[in-house]
Amino acid sequence: MYESILEEIEADKDWRNLEIKKIEIICQKLDTEDYRKLILKSTIPMIYAHWEGFVVSSLRKVNRYLNSLEYEYSDFHIHLLTNAYEENIKSLESSLGYEKRVKHLNIIFEKLTDDVKFSTKIDVKSNLKFQVLKDICIKFNLNIDNFESYKLDLEQLLRLRNAIAHGEDSYSFTRYEDIELYINLLSNLMDTLHTEIDDFFRNEKYKKDNS
């Protein structure tokens, strides 16, 4: 039952929020500004890591459920079907010779005779910015519009994370409130994805006759 998947996603979200919440407690206990700045700066890459980790973990659970259905290809919505066979489609596209294209096309046809299998690999391009999120929503038939209000803050989080991860020293945070925007962003993004997956299951948006 998909309800158990939703419960797993809820539990995953809760422990991530709890771990981030500990940063506020640590900052309250630190009386040295240099240490507090270090903790706050390090939290930015941590927030992004939780965002990426939550998306990957959640969608892997979705794929696990889809695999358990053991549907044939004709049962799935075209977005989900394309998602399942994306690697095979890529190999067909990159085949330079005609004979290789025939070979790869035959592989796709053979796979279509079996139950559709969804991969445990979720490609987030190592930079889960808004455009990547949009692509993921299309693949899983989720509504990207519900994430639109977080676009600018997500792009800013990515810029900060990349700069800090690459050793730039131009960013400094002195108070917990300086990073609270991104902590709230993480919580809101996870809530929205959880809600979208709930809607995906309840309305069976993975089926062919659903848009």
Side-chain angles (χ1 to χ4, degrees):
M1 297 293 287
Y2 68 79
E3 286 86 358
S4 63
I5 301 293
L6 292 171
E7 289 174 1
E8 289 179 30
I9 293 173
E10 181 78 35
D12 188 22
K13 182 175 64 177
D14 287 346
W15 84 258
R16 293 178 190 279
N17 281 327
L18 182 60
E19 182 162 288
I20 294 294
K21 182 67 176 177
K22 292 175 183 176
I23 299 298
E24 182 179 12
I25 298 171
I26 291 171
C27 288
Q28 289 172 349
K29 292 182 178 180
L30 288 173
D31 54 8
T32 304
E33 184 174 301
D34 286 345
Y35 289 165
R36 189 162 54 250
K37 284 183 177 180
L38 178 61
I39 290 294
L40 292 172
K41 187 176 181 179
S42 301
T43 301
I44 296 296
M46 182 190 296
I47 291 170
Y48 171 79
H50 275 301
W51 164 231
E52 180 178 309
F54 182 73
V55 171
V56 170
S57 175
S58 298
L59 296 181
R60 279 178 178 165
K61 291 177 174 64
V62 170
N63 280 352
R64 189 180 78 208
Y65 174 79
L66 295 175
N67 284 333
S68 74
L69 297 174
E70 297 184 345
Y71 282 0
E72 295 180 352
Y73 79 93
S74 57
D75 297 319
F76 281 107
H77 188 281
I78 189 61
H79 289 173
L80 276 296
L81 195 61
T82 305
N83 184 6
Y85 294 121
E86 187 171 19
E87 289 303 314
N88 300 105
I89 295 170
K90 284 180 181 177
S91 66
L92 180 63
E93 180 183 324
S94 62
S95 297
L96 299 178
Y98 181 78
E99 290 184 358
K100 284 188 176 181
R101 291 179 181 177
V102 171
K103 176 183 176 182
H104 287 298
L105 186 58
N106 272 324
I107 290 172
I108 293 174
F109 281 138
E110 288 172 4
K111 286 182 175 293
L112 289 175
T113 63
D114 300 326
D115 293 334
V116 179
K117 293 298 180 185
F118 292 85
S119 175
T120 57
K121 179 183 177 182
I122 306 296
D123 187 7
V124 295
K125 314 295 184 186
S126 298
N127 270 287
L128 220 176
K129 55 187 178 182
F130 190 81
Q131 183 58 52
V132 176
L133 177 62
K134 182 176 180 179
D135 292 342
I136 287 172
C137 284
I138 293 172
K139 290 179 181 181
F140 284 87
N141 221 17
L142 308 177
N143 188 359
I144 186 61
D145 292 344
N146 291 326
F147 294 93
E148 188 71 37
S149 61
Y150 307 118
K151 179 178 180 178
L152 295 179
D153 289 339
L154 179 57
E155 297 298 290
Q156 177 64 15
L157 172 64
L158 262 292
R159 284 192 291 271
L160 286 173
R161 173 260 187 180
N162 289 337
I164 292 169
H166 293 141
E168 291 187 25
D169 197 31
S170 55
Y171 297 100
S172 179
F173 310 96
T174 57
R175 304 173 305 145
Y176 174 80
E177 289 74 15
D178 294 338
I179 65 166
E180 198 167 15
L181 166 68
Y182 305 108
I183 291 173
N184 292 335
L185 172 66
L186 172 65
S187 180
N188 290 331
L189 285 170
M190 291 194 298
D191 283 344
T192 304
L193 181 60
H194 189 203
T195 300
E196 280 300 303
I197 293 174
D198 186 306
D199 180 63
F200 172 83
F201 284 141
R202 293 184 191 281
N203 292 301
E204 298 183 328
K205 293 173 72 173
Y206 47 84
K207 285 190 174 182
K208 184 177 181 179
D209 56 352
N210 285 325
S211 60

